[in-house]
Amino acid sequence: MEPQQYIPLGAVAVMLPLVLLRNRRPRTLRPQWMWVAPAIIVPLMGLAIWGTSMQPGVAHASFGPLDWLILAMGLVLGAAAGWQRGRMMTIEKHSDGALKAQASPLGLILIVLLLFGRRALGAWLEPHAASLGLSAIAVADAFLLFVAAMIVLQRIEMYVRARRILAGGSDAHVESAA
């Protein structure tokens, strides 16, 4: 492993305990502001994808059908992971009508597994993309699309559940706090 590869692993090792401690107690959930994170992430990911296509010295061949399939798989798998993570969130409705959300430890484990899986798969797939008939740019872009889709679908799932709870509906992951 090169020294550049240790930095993300070190960052995860430092941030993981902090995130675990932060997620031990419920945080206020404001459904009206859940659009903000996707509104920031999606343009940034679009800019990152555009930037990878503009790198000097990179072959700018158009994507083939297999490359488009890889991009679609990144979107679909990211959407599935985001939906699942959003479903794992516990939402409490307090007597004053405020919503509190708490991340599931399983959701955090899912994110950590996805981070390490992405790192392992990316480390193997990006150098071998040409031998598999794929574009290395398409593989890198698929990982970016995965993250964007995961964030967007998690927020959509949580928004739908929060609106249902506020309207008085039931939810399998709701706890009423008296």
Side-chain angles (χ1 to χ4, degrees):
M1 263 173 117
E2 295 181 23
Q4 297 91 338
Q5 294 173 322
Y6 290 123
I7 294 171
L9 293 176
V12 169
V14 168
M15 293 303 295
L16 186 61
L18 294 174
V19 171
L20 281 171
L21 288 173
R22 183 176 177 223
N23 286 334
R24 285 182 25 187
R25 58 172 205 227
R27 291 180 283 168
T28 301
L29 179 66
R30 294 181 183 91
Q32 68 271 21
W33 292 103
M34 294 188 76
W35 62 271
V36 173
I40 293 170
I41 295 296
V42 169
L44 287 176
M45 291 297 177
L47 188 62
I49 289 171
W50 175 76
T52 59
S53 69
M54 295 297 163
Q55 283 181 329
V58 175
H60 299 293
S62 59
F63 289 163
L66 195 54
D67 297 322
W68 287 107
L69 180 65
I70 291 294
L71 292 171
M73 282 178 46
L75 273 174
V76 169
L77 292 175
W83 175 75
Q84 185 62 33
R85 186 156 190 259
R87 257 182 16 110
M88 288 182 189
M89 298 290 271
T90 301
I91 299 175
E92 295 178 352
K93 183 176 181 181
H94 288 254
S95 58
D96 63 354
L99 293 178
K100 299 281 185 174
Q102 183 174 8
S104 165
L106 289 176
L108 187 60
I109 291 169
L110 173 69
I111 291 295
V112 171
L113 289 175
L114 288 172
L115 280 172
F116 286 119
R118 184 232 179 266
R119 175 66 60 190
L121 186 62
W124 180 83
L125 193 55
E126 287 176 10
H128 294 93
S131 65
L132 296 172
L134 300 172
S135 164
I137 293 174
V139 171
D141 289 352
F143 285 125
L144 291 174
L145 290 173
F146 180 93
V147 171
M150 185 175 71
I151 291 169
V152 169
L153 258 289
Q154 176 188 353
R155 293 296 179 131
I156 289 172
E157 170 66 18
M158 289 177 61
Y159 178 80
V160 168
R161 288 178 51 216
R163 297 297 297 174
R164 186 180 323 135
I165 293 164
L166 286 174
S170 64
D171 190 63
H173 294 89
V174 174
E175 297 174 9
S176 282

